[in-house]
Amino acid sequence: MARLDIKIFGDPILRMRAREVTTFDGGLHALAGDMLDTLRAANGVGLAANQVGVLKRLFVWEHAGRDGVFVNPEVVETSTETEIADEGCLSFPGLFYPSERPLRARLRGVDVYGEPHEEVGEGLFARILLHELDHLNGILFIDHLARHDRKEAMRRIRRGELEQPHEPASAPEL
Ligand code: CO
């Protein structure tokens, strides 16, 4: 197992759409294992393949003592009820802003063996599932922020804050 480099905002791969996984071989299992190692080392709660420079549709997550790998995930349904909570992203170190997401989400896909897999999330877990699926479509958490927060975030990024040492995470990093 190995820790992978996490791509920081500005890397074009974070804006690209990842491709469907069609081969469920040892290479995929190793990638998933390395992504879980990388997620734990970074104390994050979710990590998508784009974030480690791989354009494949999979992400890993860790929540409430469980973890997992989701391959080719799709949204089945989301609640109309939403929740606003502070959110961060491992590709935006040190930046945390409130973002509005559906309170509940159901995603369907497959596991690393290609077997059907489904997860139902509420609250933070729903947020993790939707944030990671966004990554696979090149969508980033700053896209969900209120206008004034997004402006401030972009200003801080232009000042080079993502490259500066920062305080320990004040909200979940996904
Ligand atoms: Co993220």
Side-chain angles (χ1 to χ4, degrees), residues 37-92:
D37 280 356
T38 305
L39 177 67
R40 291 189 192 110
N43 286 314
V45 293
L47 182 70
N50 311 44
Q51 291 179 280
V52 294
V54 178
L55 279 180
K56 290 184 178 174
R57 299 188 76 77
L58 78 150
F59 66 74
V60 298
W61 54 268
E62 192 160 43
H63 175 68
R66 290 173 68 219
D67 60 26
V69 182
F70 221 141
V71 182
N72 297 339
E74 285 174 34
V75 172
V76 180
E77 59 179 338
T78 54
S79 61
T80 50
E81 198 179 344
T82 61
E83 183 176 72
I84 297 174
D86 276 347
E87 188 172 322
C89 176
L90 291 169
S91 296
F92 293 81

Side-chain angles (χ1 to χ4, degrees), residues 46-48 51 88-92 131-132 135 140-141 173-174:
L47 182 70
Q51 291 179 280
C89 176
L90 291 169
S91 296
F92 293 81
H131 177 122
E132 301 314 324
H135 271 301
L140 299 170
F141 94 114
E173 289 183 296
L174 294 77

Side-chain angles (χ1 to χ4, degrees), residues 45 83-89 94-101 123-125 127-128 131 141 144-146 149 156 169-174:
V45 293
E83 183 176 72
I84 297 174
D86 276 347
E87 188 172 322
C89 176
L95 259 58
F96 302 93
Y97 286 98
S99 113
E100 186 171 17
R101 300 267 187 186
L124 175 58
F125 191 34
R127 184 173 297 276
I128 294 168
H131 177 122
F141 94 114
H144 288 280
L145 304 185
D149 284 338
R156 291 173 60 190
S170 62
E173 289 183 296
L174 294 77

Side-chain angles (χ1 to χ4, degrees), residues 102-122:
L103 180 62
R104 286 175 293 274
R106 178 189 299 269
L107 271 68
R108 189 176 293 158
V110 295
D111 64 14
V112 283
Y113 301 99
E115 298 296 327
H117 185 73
E118 194 173 286
E119 293 287 348
V120 180
E122 184 171 328

